Amino acid sequence: MRENVYRKMAGHVIEGLKKRNMEGIYCETGEEAARAVADMVGPGDLVTWGGSATVNELGILDLLREKGARLLEYPEAEKRAPGSPIFQEAAGADYFLMGTNAITINGELVNIDGASNRVSSLLHGPKHVVIVAGINKIVKTVEDGIHRIQTQTCPVIADKTGRKTPCGTAGFCTDCQSPDCMCCNIVVTRRSRYTGRIRVILVGETLGI
């Protein structure tokens, strides 16, 4: 019964994505989703990724290595100042892999970012963007998405990574101006200008934070 509910929810999101010139795919399991990503990428393609627990959880990078894709990592240390040569190379990648902090039932992507290399690559640059998101990321509205991120996602990430932000210590967002702030940019992707560029793989499992 749960699988049927998840499939119906995903169906609504996929219809919303289609109206917004984005493609949606539903996979019942993370393993199926990882294979779907690997099938999209060809040998020799340059692939980079944003900080995504989901991409790492599913072993997608290992599958791509086996396939002969070229993987470009963007280390955290390189994100501390603008103008990184690695970012310039990443902007020209064939594929950018990421999760999404939230996605509305109508197909809007909601993301909050600190260094913002992730959202910038989502918006423009790489030829293709592949987003893998667990069913737990679906929310009703953009406002619900922002609330989810600020109360469930950022506090956990701050605590896990040792960021000195109020949400990491208090457990909730205080609209901080901390140097470690993870909410520098709040981005809502309501439509893609480029047909076929953004693909969203929805997984019928709880994935990521």
Side-chain angles (χ1 to χ4, degrees), residues 27-196:
C27 295
E28 289 190 1
T29 67
E31 182 179 354
E32 184 182 343
R35 289 198 303 269
V37 175
D39 287 343
M40 294 176 190
V41 178
D45 283 346
L46 180 62
V47 181
T48 187
W49 58 95
S52 170
T54 299
V55 169
N56 291 318
E57 266 181 51
L58 299 182
I60 293 172
L61 301 181
D62 290 335
L63 289 177
L64 295 178
R65 286 189 186 94
E66 291 172 7
K67 193 168 186 178
R70 295 179 293 135
L71 303 186
L72 177 65
E73 186 172 4
Y74 189 14
E76 189 67 32
E78 291 286 333
K79 302 173 187 176
R80 294 174 186 164
S84 166
I86 293 180
F87 177 74
Q88 307 304 320
E89 188 177 357
D94 296 299
Y95 286 88
F96 181 73
L97 311 181
M98 61 178 287
T100 186
N101 295 133
I103 181 169
T104 72
I105 199 73
N106 293 320
E108 299 150 301
L109 306 174
V110 186
N111 285 284
I112 287 179
D113 214 344
S116 300
N117 63 294
R118 184 173 63 100
V119 294
S120 62
S121 292
L122 166 63
L123 301 181
H124 193 77
K127 294 175 185 176
H128 302 282
V129 177
V130 181
I131 298 166
V132 184
I135 204 77
N136 52 306
K137 300 296 182 69
I138 298 176
V139 295
K140 187 175 182 182
T141 66
V142 169
E143 291 74 19
D144 291 336
I146 294 172
H147 179 75
R148 178 190 187 280
I149 297 162
Q150 292 183 331
T151 59
Q152 298 179 42
T153 307
C154 285
V156 173
I157 293 175
D159 182 63
K160 184 177 180 180
T161 59
R163 286 182 169 89
K164 301 183 186 307
T165 60
C167 69
T169 55
F172 57 89
C173 179
T174 62
D175 191 30
C176 79
Q177 300 300 320
S178 165
D180 283 343
C181 177
M182 292 179 286
C183 303
C184 295
N185 288 288
I186 300 175
V187 174
V188 178
T189 305
R190 59 173 300 277
R191 182 175 175 81
S192 175
R193 173 168 289 185
Y194 309 105
T195 301

